[in-house]
Amino acid sequence: MIIDIHGHYTTTPAGLTAYRKKQIAWMDDRRTARPDPPAISDQEIAESIERNQLRLMDERGEDLMLLSPKASGMEHHRPDRSVARDWARVSNDLVHRVAGLFPGRFAAVCQLPQTPGGSLVEPILELRRCVEELGFVGCNLNPDPSGGFWTAPPLTDEFWFPLYEVMTELDVPAMIHVSSSDNPAVDTLGGHYLNADTTVFMQLVAGDLFARFPSLRFVIPHGGGAVPYHWGRFEGLAARLGRPPLRDHVLGNVYFDTCVYHQAGFDLLTSVVPARNLLFAAEMLGAVRGDDPTTGRSWDDTTAYFASAPLRPADRERIASENARTVYPRLDKVLS
Amino acid sequence: MIIDIHGHYTTTPAGLTAYRKKQIAWMDDRRTARPDPPAISDQEIAESIERNQLRLMDERGEDLMLLSPKASGMEHHRPDRSVARDWARVSNDLVHRVAGLFPGRFAAVCQLPQTPGGSLVEPILELRRCVEELGFVGCNLNPDPSGGFWTAPPLTDEFWFPLYEVMTELDVPAMIHVSSSDNPAVDTLGGHYLNADTTVFMQLVAGDLFARFPSLRFVIPHGGGAVPYHWGRFEGLAARLGRPPLRDHVLGNVYFDTCVYHQAGFDLLTSVVPARNLLFAAEMLGAVRGDDPTTGRSWDDTTAYFASAPLRPADRERIASENARTVYPRLDKVLS
């Protein structure tokens, strides 16, 4: 069984984009009416998934995908809290409907209504709604709601603790995932995403968050940004800071997905990071589309790299599905 | 012959630190006297190098090091332009004296007096002084003088073109190197440095700078940040942007150093990036100190990883010294 723990609903029906445009206009001019959530039919949703994510899942042999709203579309840099709340609710409700339309093929992960400098009250309420009322299995947490300017405190700061307390209570992990960059110097897909993965890992190495929250779990996407490639650097920096080796300090709580889009990078990841810390993923249809001309396969077809990676059978099972069920225990309900 | 193209004078005599403290105080209170450059003897300089960089170079078999002022000490985020100019001059003069005291063992690379939002007039004057009067072979260019907030335009923006024109005229490359992070969310050594490498590479992929400056050369340090590990991602993103493959689009002008501190990462780098684009380096004594307990060797002893890397002899020569002489043609004078 293969569980892909990192998918986004990037192929939403046009009604969602139209709604978002109205929302953004309404932020600038409150004299217009607050936009109503879009009316999107089950058929529209089903087609948008069948032709895209589900088609590729079947072609590639993925059984289940953890699906969350489009990451770059979260746009946490827009400061209006009530709009952020509406936007997260509408986006999460759509993902919930996908999961309902294709039982056993999708599990829902939620977007949080974060804003730059905003409190965590609304994100916590939305997390509770999604998990307790709708059966979501996790959330995406944006460590930089400013969109590329990094104005939020590090994830080890007590600012974030109220959210961690609820995550712990609900027993759900967070994938650390930024949204689009609002900074012209930093490209969203080729800069900001990878930088965020690296930045947050180092925040966790420098801090001691998991002593306070021993069951808190973070998934760092995109193969951990620069981290596995620079594993020796991070081990050395941890030692320089007087921290324990990475395995003892952060690897009890931090996991990486396998969204690395060439064989050499994929193999580095699986050779450097212990198998118990890896969760299979592709992030399709995501940042990178099109085919590698040297192989004729899609860049983001990580099932191919996974099949070619030299792994022991037990480790392969861990990465394919076992770790996902450990990190996201609420998956049990989806799979039973 | 092994040329290490990435060394910083991190072991400067105490007089330099004392001078910097006075400078920072003077920025805040101009009623005090403008501090005089520190009086540091040749003997102090010689000892600070012999006990540190030179000792390790001899132990590890490095023949020549390209030495620049301490990267985190550049502190371009401090906005006073006249202080930035003094600080760069004093720091560069010290590096120049190191090169003079140990002929054939060090070549000097300069710090530029950049400031957030500041013009490039002072950086260009200092670059000319260092190269034309003092025989420097290159410079370090900071793409984010704000220190972790990324307020400068991307390096493909015409803001930077006057500097590129002088670099082209002088035939010197720039290493892309940020300084210390002034952003509490972003660690200097474990976040900001690697993020900058990745960010700038993506700026270059998204732009078309080298069509305008065909002989401009950039060295991206720390093994290219996250880039080689995510080579497939960057190839895919280039295709998505309608850019040519990386080899045709940026690899005629962009080089990576080999500062990757474990064998698996080092081997990934040399297997993914063409040998003609790699320059040997260790960045010692730099970010990462101490020994890998599993090997008993220093994390930053890249000579050991280099010796173990499966490379053809011709490629090994290229990485060890030939590429350095091509990218830094003014090295010829130092080596003759």
Side-chain angles (χ1 to χ4, degrees):
Chain A
M1 177 179 201
I2 293 187
I3 301 176
D4 180 340
I5 61 106
H6 187 179
H8 298 291
Y9 194 7
T10 49
T11 58
T12 44
L16 189 72
T17 312
Y19 171 69
R20 182 60 175 165
K21 276 189 185 156
K22 283 184 213 158
Q23 266 201 330
I24 291 172
W26 189 73
M27 271 189 265
D28 289 337
D29 183 1
R30 291 290 170 109
R31 289 171 307 176
T32 60
R34 185 184 196 92
D36 289 324
I40 296 173
S41 69
D42 281 355
Q43 192 186 337
E44 281 180 282
I45 294 174
E47 283 179 2
S48 75
I49 291 287
E50 281 165 352
R51 292 177 182 168
N52 294 295
Q53 288 84 356
L54 200 60
R55 173 179 61 81
L56 289 172
M57 287 165 67
D58 288 341
E59 281 177 21
R60 300 179 184 180
E62 297 187 6
D63 299 283
L64 176 77
M65 178 186 283
L66 272 58
L67 189 73
S68 62
K70 182 175 164 179
S72 63
M74 298 189 295
E75 297 193 322
H76 294 128
H77 65 276
R78 299 189 184 274
D80 190 304
R81 294 189 202 178
S82 77
V83 168
R85 185 198 58 206
D86 290 353
W87 179 231
R89 283 183 78 106
V90 166
S91 301
N92 290 332
D93 285 349
L94 268 190
V95 165
H96 175 60
R97 288 173 66 192
V98 171
L101 285 169
F102 301 98
R105 301 304 303 272
F106 294 95
V109 169
C110 64
Q111 165 180 339
L112 300 176
Q114 299 177 249
T115 48
S119 90
L120 293 174
V121 170
E122 291 286 357
I124 287 170
L125 287 172
E126 181 63 6
L127 177 64
R128 280 204 182 280
R129 184 183 80 93
C130 288
V131 175
E132 294 182 324
E133 298 176 25
L134 305 179
F136 280 53
V137 301
C139 62
N140 290 336
L141 175 62
N142 186 342
D144 173 28
S146 74
F149 298 96
W150 291 91
T151 56
L155 289 189
T156 49
D157 190 276
E158 61 185 17
F159 167 78
W160 303 98
F161 288 5
L163 177 66
Y164 301 157
E165 281 160 16
V166 177
M167 285 171 56
T168 301
E169 176 202 327
L170 299 175
D171 203 14
V172 293
M175 174 174 281
I176 305 302
H177 208 309
V178 288
S179 186
S180 56
S181 167
D182 194 37
N183 187 326
V186 187
D187 182 84
T188 297
L189 304 174
H192 193 38
Y193 280 17
L194 302 175
N195 294 350
D197 304 334
T198 309
T199 298
V200 166
F201 186 81
M202 189 61 202
Q203 290 174 355
L204 300 173
V205 169
D208 199 15
L209 183 64
F210 304 117
R212 170 73 183 257
F213 294 99
S215 67
L216 188 67
R217 299 181 299 283
F218 288 146
V219 178
I220 300 191
H222 319 111
V227 171
Y229 173 47
H230 285 286
W231 200 252
R233 184 180 186 90
F234 286 94
E235 288 281 18
L237 289 172
R240 187 172 172 172
L241 291 168
R243 297 297 178 197
L246 300 178
R247 188 180 286 257
D248 304 323
H249 182 41
V250 293
L251 288 190
N253 305 76
V254 173
Y255 302 82
F256 299 103
D257 81 9
T258 66
C259 293
V260 180
Y261 299 146
H262 63 144
Q263 192 68 50
F266 197 99
D267 291 348
L268 175 102
L269 173 66
T270 57
S271 71
V272 167
V273 178
R276 70 174 294 283
N277 294 86
L278 295 174
L279 306 178
F280 177 83
E283 195 176 4
M284 58 140 177
L285 295 79
V288 177
R289 317 221 176 153
D291 299 337
D292 179 352
T294 65
T295 64
R297 298 196 73 130
S298 300
W299 288 111
D300 67 4
D301 184 1
T302 51
T303 53
Y305 310 132
F306 187 40
S308 299
L311 288 163
R312 287 178 299 187
D315 287 342
R316 193 176 294 281
E317 285 305 309
R318 284 188 187 100
I319 298 169
S321 65
E322 286 175 16
N323 294 339
R325 301 186 70 158
T326 306
V327 175
Y328 295 82
R330 285 174 183 264
L331 271 178
D332 273 351
K333 211 171 219 173
V334 178
L335 290 166
S336 65
Chain B
M1 179 181 199
I2 292 186
I3 301 176
D4 180 341
I5 61 106
H6 188 179
H8 297 291
Y9 194 8
T10 49
T11 57
T12 44
L16 189 73
T17 311
Y19 170 69
R20 183 60 175 165
K21 276 190 183 155
K22 282 184 212 158
Q23 266 201 328
I24 291 171
W26 188 73
M27 271 189 267
D28 290 338
D29 184 0
R30 291 291 170 107
R31 289 172 305 177
T32 59
R34 184 184 196 92
D36 290 322
I40 296 175
S41 69
D42 281 355
Q43 192 186 337
E44 281 180 282
I45 295 174
E47 282 179 3
S48 75
I49 290 287
E50 281 165 352
R51 291 177 183 169
N52 294 297
Q53 287 84 354
L54 200 60
R55 174 180 60 81
L56 289 173
M57 288 165 67
D58 288 341
E59 281 177 21
R60 300 179 185 180
E62 296 187 7
D63 298 283
L64 176 75
M65 179 186 283
L66 272 58
L67 190 73
S68 62
K70 182 175 165 179
S72 63
M74 297 189 296
E75 296 193 324
H76 293 129
H77 64 275
R78 299 189 185 273
D80 189 304
R81 294 188 201 179
S82 76
V83 168
R85 186 197 58 206
D86 289 354
W87 179 229
R89 283 183 77 106
V90 165
S91 300
N92 290 331
D93 285 349
L94 268 189
V95 165
H96 175 58
R97 288 173 68 191
V98 171
L101 285 169
F102 301 97
R105 302 304 304 274
F106 294 94
V109 169
C110 64
Q111 165 180 339
L112 299 176
Q114 298 176 249
T115 48
S119 90
L120 293 173
V121 171
E122 291 286 357
I124 287 170
L125 287 172
E126 181 64 5
L127 176 64
R128 281 205 182 280
R129 184 183 80 93
C130 288
V131 175
E132 294 182 327
E133 297 176 25
L134 304 179
F136 279 53
V137 301
C139 62
N140 290 335
L141 175 61
N142 186 342
D144 173 27
S146 74
F149 297 96
W150 291 92
T151 56
L155 288 190
T156 50
D157 189 277
E158 61 185 16
F159 167 78
W160 303 97
F161 288 5
L163 177 67
Y164 300 158
E165 281 161 15
V166 177
M167 285 171 57
T168 301
E169 176 202 327
L170 299 175
D171 203 13
V172 293
M175 174 174 280
I176 307 301
H177 208 309
V178 288
S179 187
S180 54
S181 167
D182 193 38
N183 186 327
V186 187
D187 182 85
T188 296
L189 304 174
H192 192 38
Y193 280 17
L194 303 175
N195 294 350
D197 304 335
T198 310
T199 298
V200 166
F201 186 80
M202 190 62 202
Q203 291 175 355
L204 299 173
V205 169
D208 198 15
L209 183 64
F210 304 118
R212 170 75 182 254
F213 294 99
S215 67
L216 188 66
R217 300 181 299 283
F218 288 146
V219 178
I220 301 191
H222 320 111
V227 172
Y229 173 48
H230 285 285
W231 201 251
R233 183 180 186 89
F234 286 94
E235 288 281 17
L237 289 173
R240 187 172 174 173
L241 291 169
R243 298 296 179 198
L246 301 177
R247 188 181 286 257
D248 305 323
H249 182 43
V250 294
L251 288 190
N253 305 77
V254 172
Y255 302 83
F256 300 103
D257 81 8
T258 65
C259 293
V260 180
Y261 300 146
H262 63 144
Q263 192 69 48
F266 197 99
D267 290 348
L268 175 103
L269 173 66
T270 57
S271 71
V272 168
V273 178
R276 69 173 295 282
N277 293 88
L278 295 174
L279 306 177
F280 177 83
E283 196 176 5
M284 58 135 176
L285 294 79
V288 178
R289 317 221 177 152
D291 299 336
D292 178 353
T294 64
T295 64
R297 299 195 73 130
S298 300
W299 289 109
D300 68 4
D301 185 0
T302 51
T303 54
Y305 310 132
F306 187 40
S308 299
L311 288 162
R312 288 177 301 186
D315 286 343
R316 193 175 294 281
E317 285 305 309
R318 283 188 189 99
I319 298 169
S321 64
E322 287 175 15
N323 294 340
R325 301 187 70 160
T326 305
V327 175
Y328 295 82
R330 286 175 182 264
L331 271 178
D332 273 351
K333 210 169 218 173
V334 178
L335 289 165
S336 65

